[in-house]
Amino acid sequence: MKIALLTWFNNENYGTVLQLTALSDYLTTNCGAQTEIINYLPQEAHSVSKRETLGDHLAYRVMQTALKKLRKPQPNITENIKSQYPDALQIKKNRFHSFLQQLAFTQPLCDISSLEECVNNYDLFVCGSDQIWNPRILNRVFYLDFVHGVPKISYAASMGVNYIPRYAEKYIRDYLKDFNAVSLREETCRQALEKLYQKPVDVVCDPVFLLSAERWEAFTADVPLYKEGNYILNYYLGDSPVHETVFDTVSRLLELPSHTLPSSKPALQRSTEEDIAAGPAEFLSLVKNASFTVTDSFHAVCFCLIFRIPFCVIYKHSERDPFNQNSRISFLLKKLKLENRIVSCAEDAAAAVATPIDFDEAHRLLAPFIKHSKEYLDRNVTK
């Protein structure tokens, strides 16, 4: 069987690349398929017009725009890194490129006609995982709208937000009408999506959980860095001031050095060129060998669970934000009865440091979810 896999891959994000790697590896190794990744870079012309999305929580958008104008302008962290560490940034770019070279990609396919021309080359199309179904983007290509006459399924596609906006319903209903099976990564939009799909929707685990810790370790075999362990990994994608408070608390209590993957000015001041240059394999090694991880990253949490690394996690977005993407973290940790790892102040962080994680119990609770997810793939890939 020849499978075409469609998801994000080109934004140099650790979680994005690793979830793609996991799903491709599982389909190839465990389902016996020849898997190719559709080399598609998102085009604005393939998404719903931004004018259609403007009415969604308009009052909140206006308020946030006004507050942004009143705040003191923040330095552009990306530009700071580019100017201060151009060599490290190039190494990181090269490492992402090299890591992706392990996977099989099609030739670049950037317009609908070229995508349609490739359809009959495959026996099955799979879209997912990651937030490719986020209704604020609503790109028809990630809903496999160009695929006709060949079976198509989703695996752990994520809506990102907690609801499906009204403007998106008519599009999603149309996009899903000829899917053979649909699965989401989070429970939040399941019922709403079932009303549009008119069939049951599965909830399955993120692809990174499809591979064992030993399989992930194999991807770090050629990484000499971080083997010494005994450090705190500090990695976050948002700019919440709470993160600095939490990290400072954890650092004070554990009295360990840190490795910081920067996304803010304070984080950049803690980073080394070695940290900035980390690619996907280095990221895996950083998590695997850490003594403790402080993060707001969903996939960092996933790998802490896989490698049994103590952690605490901060929500990247305010719960008051109607577009917040916190559900993926809360859904996973609630399933594993680890909600106490979600922290929002120094006291929470201190409690997380003092309270060990029962990883045996977490893995026991996770096992049926992984089993169900593999059965979903095995059932729908081997049809």
Side-chain angles (χ1 to χ4, degrees), residues 173-191:
R173 182 184 293 110
D174 184 57
Y175 294 154
L176 295 183
K177 65 180 183 295
D178 54 355
F179 264 71
N180 296 74
V182 171
S183 66
L184 293 174
R185 190 177 64 184
E186 294 91 26
E187 181 73 37
T188 28
C189 291
R190 179 183 191 170
Q191 290 186 351

Side-chain angles (χ1 to χ4, degrees), residues 345-356:
C345 60
E347 290 76 14
D348 291 348
V353 170
T355 308

Side-chain angles (χ1 to χ4, degrees), residues 59-71:
Y60 180 84
R61 289 173 185 261
V62 171
M63 180 185 70
Q64 290 301 306
T65 300
L67 288 173
K68 189 175 181 180
K69 289 182 177 179
L70 291 172
R71 292 190 192 107

Side-chain angles (χ1 to χ4, degrees), residues 127 133 143 152-157 159 172 175-185 189-190 193-194 196-204 372 376 379-380:
C127 60
W133 282 6
Y143 281 87
K152 53 185 176 181
I153 67 171
S154 70
Y155 181 81
M159 311 296 288
I172 295 174
Y175 294 154
L176 295 183
K177 65 180 183 295
D178 54 355
F179 264 71
N180 296 74
V182 171
S183 66
L184 293 174
R185 190 177 64 184
C189 291
R190 179 183 191 170
L193 201 67
E194 285 182 334
L196 300 177
Y197 183 46
Q198 293 294 299
K199 296 177 186 176
V201 171
D202 272 283
V203 177
V204 294
H372 168 76
Y376 170 86
R379 182 170 67 250
N380 289 293

Side-chain angles (χ1 to χ4, degrees), residues 303-372:
F303 283 106
C304 284
L305 290 165
I306 289 169
F307 291 131
R308 297 175 176 248
I309 303 302
F311 68 91
C312 64
V313 59
I314 299 151
Y315 279 150
K316 181 181 173 184
H317 303 105
S318 166
E319 287 288 88
R320 295 190 298 273
D321 182 348
F323 308 116
N324 81 73
Q325 300 166 11
N326 300 332
S327 61
R328 51 188 175 165
I329 289 174
S330 58
F331 170 71
L332 175 62
L333 295 184
K334 183 178 180 180
K335 182 174 281 290
L336 304 184
K337 299 181 180 179
L338 291 175
E339 300 102 311
N340 64 339
R341 309 314 295 186
I342 302 170
V343 302
S344 60
C345 60
E347 290 76 14
D348 291 348
V353 170
T355 308
I357 298 174
D358 186 343
F359 283 108
D360 287 340
E361 177 65 5
H363 280 233
R364 186 188 69 79
L365 294 170
L366 189 58
F369 191 32
I370 295 174
K371 182 174 183 289
H372 168 76

